[in-house]
Amino acid sequence: MSIETRPQRLSVTRIKSRKGGDKLVCLTAYTASVARQLDEEVDLLLVGDSLAMVVYGFDSTLPVTLDMMVAHGGAVVRATHHAVVVVDLPFGSYQASPQDAFRAAARVMAETQCNAVKLEGGEEMAETVAFLVKRGIPVMGHVGLTPQAVNQLGGYRSRGHEAAERRKILADGAAICDAGAFSLVVEGVNEGLARELTAAVAVPTIGIGASPACDGQILVTDDMLGVYAEFTPKFVKRYRRLGDDIRAAAREYADDVRTGRFPAPEHTYTAPAKRAKAAAH
Ligand code: KIV
């Protein structure tokens, strides 16, 4: 009999207990191959609905479906054993009622075996967050710049610079955390507001374009790797330019194929009789 020695996956309660402690490190992941590389380096992987833009080439997150989130969420969970995996609820699957949200979230949890779901919105979503949490579904909130509301917000500009909007974002964050969310993504707000919100809520804030004042940080992995190069927001730090590497590799491969350098003998199967003859010489 063999004994399982693999360390256990982090839990949402461990993430919650890191409020004000060591910074939480989070990235997005959409596929098994990339999730496997990121898993042991981060605390939390988000299967974000940003996959609509990054993987599927849409120009907003709105067209993503529950089926897509389930397929990618399951792939990321199966490929990982360390990080907490959170899956975004897609636009239209949770806003109409807490019951709709429960059906969507329960399907995501059961079919992907992820640790939690994330949903966007503030005071208007607090009842839904409480409904899910009371029924055993851990929820991560998302306030500030909420991409699913891009049509209402009029674009992807940072938010909360005027007093009224600032007060609204503070109230949104507080409502979601009071409703039972275990953490809160804060997107596209200035440092003063991020600091005030982080001080006001009892759970970790995870910033994206929200300054170092948050309890943790998240980036879209393809942005920080330089794979998704269509547009680079101010808050993204590019750690690599893998898009350039992919293009260069494709160019070398094309050249090898066209000139006959690939496949070489070492990439080519030979018949057993020929192999034996070659070994005897
Ligand atoms: O969908 C996503 O990738 C997100 C992050 C930007 C937080 O929600």
Side-chain angles (χ1 to χ4, degrees):
M1 193 179 84
S2 70
I3 295 172
E4 181 63 77
T5 54
R6 221 174 217 197
Q8 265 203 330
R9 194 186 282 280
L10 287 170
S11 61
V12 296
T13 50
R14 290 276 297 280
I15 298 290
K16 192 174 171 185
S17 73
R18 297 262 295 271
K19 174 73 186 173
D22 292 347
K23 292 277 184 184
L24 286 160
V25 180
C26 315
L27 281 171
T28 63
Y30 317 115
T31 63
S33 53
V34 171
R36 202 171 288 125
Q37 303 303 326
L38 305 177
D39 185 33
E40 293 187 0
E41 308 301 330
V42 302
D43 300 305
L44 185 147
L45 287 171
L46 171 69
V47 185
D49 60 356
S50 50
L51 71 81
M53 301 166 85
V54 176
V55 177
Y56 289 96
F58 291 114
D59 62 4
S60 80
T61 60
L62 272 63
V64 83
T65 65
L66 204 52
D67 285 345
M68 288 175 182
M69 298 312 300
V70 166
H72 288 273
V76 168
V77 172
R78 286 191 296 278
T80 56
H81 60 267
H82 167 75
V84 162
V85 178
V86 179
V87 177
D88 257 338
L89 292 183
F91 176 69
S93 71
Y94 64 92
Q95 289 93 342
S97 70
Q99 288 76 10
D100 274 358
F102 181 81
R103 271 187 290 277
R107 181 176 168 212
V108 167
M109 298 286 296
E111 294 185 27
T112 69
Q113 298 188 283
C114 67
N115 302 99
V117 297
K118 175 164 84 57
L119 56 79
E120 296 181 10
E123 291 169 295
E124 74 291 352
M125 292 311 302
E127 184 193 349
T128 295
V129 172
F131 191 88
L132 297 183
V133 172
K134 277 190 204 134
R135 286 158 181 79
I137 298 181
V139 178
M140 176 183 241
H142 184 156
V143 298
L145 171 53
T146 47
Q148 291 181 8
V150 62
N151 291 308
Q152 200 160 41
L153 300 176
Y156 295 103
R157 278 186 308 278
S158 63
R159 305 198 56 223
H161 305 297
E162 292 84 38
E165 202 171 73
R166 183 185 178 93
R167 278 196 301 274
K168 172 72 179 123
I169 292 171
L170 285 169
D172 283 343
I176 292 298
C177 296
D178 290 349
F182 75 93
S183 62
L184 183 69
V185 168
V186 182
E187 178 165 356
V189 305
N190 62 52
E191 182 160 6
L193 176 49
R195 194 174 300 287
E196 201 175 336
L197 189 49
T198 298
V201 299
V203 302
T205 54
I206 311 293
I208 175 161
S211 85
C214 297
D215 297 300
Q217 295 294 324
I218 186 162
L219 280 178
V220 169
T221 297
D222 295 62
D223 283 343
M224 72 102 172
L225 292 180
V227 179
Y228 186 77
E230 272 74 358
F231 167 68
T232 308
K234 171 185 167 68
F235 58 80
V236 171
K237 179 172 175 182
R238 279 264 167 92
Y239 287 85
R240 292 289 185 280
R241 298 202 166 269
L242 294 193
D244 294 346
D245 282 351
I246 291 170
R247 192 145 195 161
R251 202 174 299 128
E252 277 174 43
Y253 166 73
D255 196 43
D256 278 359
V257 170
R258 288 185 186 119
T259 58
R261 277 196 302 269
F262 178 83
E266 66 268 29
H267 310 120
T268 306
Y269 295 112
T270 49
K274 255 191 175 173
R275 267 208 305 267
K277 214 167 166 192
H281 281 95

